[in-house]
Amino acid sequence: MSNTSPFLDPGPRTTPNTLALAHLSRDSIQPVYLKEASGTVDGYAEGAVINTRFGSFPHSTLLDKPWGSQIRASVVDTGSRGRKRKLDNSGVDGEGLDIDTEDACLGVGLTKDVKTAASGFIHILPPTPELWTTSLPHRTQVVYTPDYSYILHRIRARPGMKIIEAGAGSGSFTHAAARAVYNGYPKSTRDTRGKVFSFEFNQDRYQKMRREISDHRLDGIVQITHRDVYNDGFLVNGESPEAECVFLDLPAPWKALPHLSRRRPTSSQLSGSGLDSLNATGSEWKSPLRVDRSVYLCTFSPCIEQVTRTVDAMRRLGWVEIEMVEVSHRRIHVMRERIGLNFPSGERGTNQAAANVAEAIAKLKEVEGRFKNFHGQTHDTDVNMDEDEEITNDSKPANGSSEAAVPTEEVEGVAQVKPWMIGRLIHRTEPELKTHTSYLVFAVLPQEWTEEQETAAFENWPCGMESRVIGSLNREARKQEKRELLQGKKGKKEPNGKGEDNQASIPKKSKTS
């Protein structure tokens, strides 16, 4: 079994003791840790079983399958499970039961072969941060895919970088950030590969996140710490994580911002944050940020009042390019729609409307014929329809394009349209826009500039010794400079002009001469 996380390299097939996602429907995904069959589990003779509204699926039917496979439901034996519950409720010691029943109740014995059910299926998918976001157990407000994809782009997360995340919560952003910075597992403690330093204040959420990170094999890429970052900062074991990207999902981000400084904040910079104790400590200041690069920050705040206080603290602490963004997500569903009056009513993907003019006219004649027939029977008169009024319906069901544009295949001499190409391609948006999640505030802390770097830059690009600087001349001086420039150009043209006049005065010789 590979030690690489299934979120990073799931492999071609499902393996035991690995996370997989059972896809039930578009908005229903169930995570499951696949287990090998080792006898009766929870009363099921087939071993571990997933029970869904589409049927029961033993883990043995999900193992060693290519990712994306369709798995048919199975018929499972629930009789022993029911007897076990009956025993547990009645307190009977099991006397009088046969050996097979006792083995099933005690969880021992051989795994039973499964049989395919008449209906029901699911798809088994590899875990990805996007699918995990829709299926993870919610412990706090979740950062969804439209938000964290935009956040990772704006804070410039890429392989090999270090990210600080405060407020791990349910782990949605943690998994996405781990994939973004992944460039291999570290081989030692001093390895400078990409890593996510996650901080969580709540003890219960910290324990659950730590267990999930271990189960998902992300230990070397994600380091989660139980800490109050408002008071204790972002150092890891007393050392700086050298972070280049920061994401704060906190109720009061302005209280954590003073810890994200290159130097110890002054009293004026700490005003309003309630962290006056930072100046009281006499220890050496260690910044959690990388010194030789600019640092990109994003805060995640639901209320505009939080945004205003955060922006105020950013300005005092030297952050620049401050910008607030709100992401509004709308899903677009692309599908094929078949149009025609001869499709069965209520069939999915059909539109009961006329596909062309001929079909509309035929339908109109049919309606008029029924109308005349009805009134003719009412008045006891015969209705004789002319030949041109006969109901004909020669129109063919529309498939959205001409027959030549639709791929066909010959089956026993008969051309058949491929089913996935029947109908016209359309798209439909969701009726309502997704509601507000949070405001995203982005900022940049510029790179620290030392005296040595300033001296080197001055040698390459000296300042103060320029002969001409834009804006240093007044209006009259610029006009005089312009006159001199035009006079010089005029003087260059005059000799050439005289030469041209002399050449023009000399008559050209004819070809005959």
Side-chain angles (χ1 to χ4, degrees):
M1 182 180 65
S2 175
N3 292 325
T4 306
S5 171
F7 284 86
L8 305 174
D9 184 15
R13 291 176 172 268
T14 59
T15 56
N17 304 321
T18 303
L19 176 67
L21 300 177
H23 186 272
L24 309 181
S25 62
R26 188 181 69 175
D27 298 322
S28 179
I29 299 177
Q30 181 177 340
V32 55
Y33 292 92
L34 301 179
K35 300 178 181 178
E36 289 182 314
S38 58
T40 305
V41 177
D42 196 20
Y44 286 108
E46 294 80 6
V49 176
I50 306 174
N51 291 308
T52 69
R53 57 192 178 99
F54 299 104
S56 299
F57 302 87
H59 287 204
S60 58
T61 63
L62 306 177
L63 290 172
D64 197 26
K65 300 292 184 182
W67 293 111
S69 299
Q70 184 186 87
I71 310 298
R72 297 290 302 274
S74 302
V75 179
V76 299
D77 180 15
T78 59
S80 60
R81 188 184 186 200
R83 287 191 290 272
K84 179 184 177 183
R85 288 182 175 179
K86 185 176 180 180
L87 286 174
D88 293 340
N89 295 331
S90 61
V92 180
D93 57 359
E95 295 182 359
L97 297 177
D98 56 11
I99 297 176
D100 295 338
T101 305
E102 290 179 359
D103 291 342
C105 296
L106 295 176
V108 296
L110 299 176
T111 304
K112 184 179 179 180
D113 295 335
V114 296
K115 297 181 180 179
T116 303
S119 62
F121 64 88
I122 61 173
H123 290 87
I124 195 72
L125 303 179
T128 62
E130 292 77 15
L131 296 178
W132 179 248
T133 299
T134 61
S135 61
L136 57 80
H138 287 211
R139 295 184 287 268
T140 57
Q141 182 182 8
V142 175
V143 182
Y144 288 97
T145 301
D147 289 315
Y148 69 62
S149 59
Y150 183 71
I151 292 170
L152 292 171
H153 169 71
R154 286 293 302 269
I155 65 177
R156 303 189 181 185
R158 57 184 182 271
M161 301 188 71
K162 307 287 182 64
I163 295 182
I164 287 179
E165 178 199 16
S170 301
S172 174
F173 182 85
T174 308
H175 288 75
R179 182 183 61 180
V181 303
Y182 173 72
N183 65 337
Y185 281 84
K187 299 179 180 178
S188 64
T189 56
R190 296 184 179 181
D191 200 331
T192 58
R193 298 179 187 267
K195 198 168 187 178
V196 179
F197 297 91
S198 184
F199 298 87
E200 177 57 48
F201 171 72
N202 184 273
Q203 177 69 25
D204 184 48
R205 291 196 294 266
Y206 162 73
Q207 295 293 344
K208 292 180 179 179
M209 268 295 299
R210 186 177 180 181
R211 192 180 307 113
E212 283 184 359
I213 293 301
S214 177
D215 293 340
H216 299 168
R217 304 172 196 164
L218 293 171
D219 304 79
I221 303 171
V222 179
Q223 182 173 349
I224 185 166
T225 306
H226 177 235
R227 180 182 299 171
D228 178 13
V229 295
Y230 293 157
N231 299 315
D232 301 329
F234 299 94
L235 299 181
V236 180
N237 299 325
E239 299 295 332
S240 172
E242 299 288 337
E244 304 159 81
C245 311
V246 181
F247 175 66
L248 302 180
D249 185 6
L250 302 171
W254 60 90
K255 293 184 178 181
L257 284 175
H259 296 281
L260 298 170
S261 302
R262 301 193 187 277
R263 292 184 177 88
R264 189 184 299 276
T266 62
S267 300
S268 60
Q269 292 176 332
L270 292 175
S271 60
S273 62
L275 297 175
D276 298 335
S277 59
L278 284 179
N279 288 330
T281 58
S283 59
E284 182 184 358
W285 175 264
K286 289 185 178 181
S287 174
L289 308 178
R290 185 164 177 173
V291 179
D292 58 342
R293 289 189 182 179
S294 298
V295 178
Y296 296 85
L297 167 72
C298 175
T299 64
F300 190 82
S301 303
C303 303
I304 195 66
E305 293 80 8
Q306 296 170 306
V307 173
T308 55
R309 296 194 63 176
T310 302
V311 171
D312 181 59
M314 286 179 175
R315 289 172 176 169
R316 290 199 307 269
L317 293 169
W319 294 83
V320 297
E321 299 184 17
I322 302 173
E323 180 184 4
M324 188 194 75
V325 177
E326 183 182 13
V327 178
S328 298
H329 173 59
R330 172 176 287 178
R331 179 179 293 172
I332 299 177
H333 181 52
V334 181
M335 59 181 295
R336 285 193 176 272
E337 185 180 51
R338 294 175 294 172
I339 302 177
L341 298 174
N342 55 348
F343 288 111
S345 178
E347 186 176 350
R348 186 177 180 181
T350 60
N351 186 357
Q352 299 293 328
N356 46 45
V357 178
E359 191 171 343
I361 294 175
K363 182 65 176 179
L364 182 61
K365 288 182 179 181
E366 180 183 356
V367 173
E368 290 180 352
R370 292 177 181 176
F371 179 80
K372 292 179 181 180
N373 188 23
F374 173 77
H375 286 280
Q377 292 179 357
T378 304
H379 296 86
D380 294 329
T381 57
D382 296 330
V383 178
N384 296 324
M385 300 179 64
D386 298 334
E387 293 181 359
D388 59 344
E389 294 181 347
E390 292 182 356
I391 301 173
T392 59
N393 188 6
D394 297 333
S395 60
K396 299 180 180 179
N399 54 17
S401 59
S402 62
E403 294 182 358
V406 180
T408 59
E409 56 183 4
E410 294 289 337
V411 179
E412 296 181 358
V414 180
Q416 294 185 355
V417 179
K418 294 184 178 181
W420 61 85
M421 295 298 294
I422 297 177
R424 63 177 182 176
L425 194 65
I426 64 172
H427 74 275
R428 292 175 180 171
T429 59
E430 290 180 316
E432 295 181 0
L433 200 66
K434 286 291 186 299
T435 56
H436 165 76
T437 55
S438 283
Y439 296 108
L440 308 177
V441 181
F442 298 93
V444 180
L445 188 63
Q447 174 185 347
E448 189 177 26
W449 199 249
T450 63
E451 293 294 338
E452 293 78 8
Q453 292 172 327
E454 182 71 21
T455 304
F458 186 81
E459 292 178 356
N460 293 329
W461 301 280
C463 299
M465 296 183 292
E466 297 86 354
S467 59
R468 299 166 62 184
V469 180
I470 297 176
S472 62
L473 302 177
N474 56 21
R475 185 175 182 182
E476 293 298 330
R478 290 197 300 271
K479 285 185 176 180
Q480 182 62 28
E481 190 179 81
K482 186 69 174 178
R483 293 192 194 99
E484 294 176 357
L485 179 63
L486 294 176
Q487 189 68 23
K489 291 182 178 180
K490 185 177 180 181
K492 292 179 180 179
K493 291 182 179 180
E494 287 180 356
N496 297 333
K498 293 179 180 180
E500 291 176 359
D501 294 340
N502 296 333
Q503 292 177 2
S505 60
I506 300 175
K508 295 182 178 180
K509 296 182 179 181
S510 62
K511 295 181 178 180
T512 57
S513 62

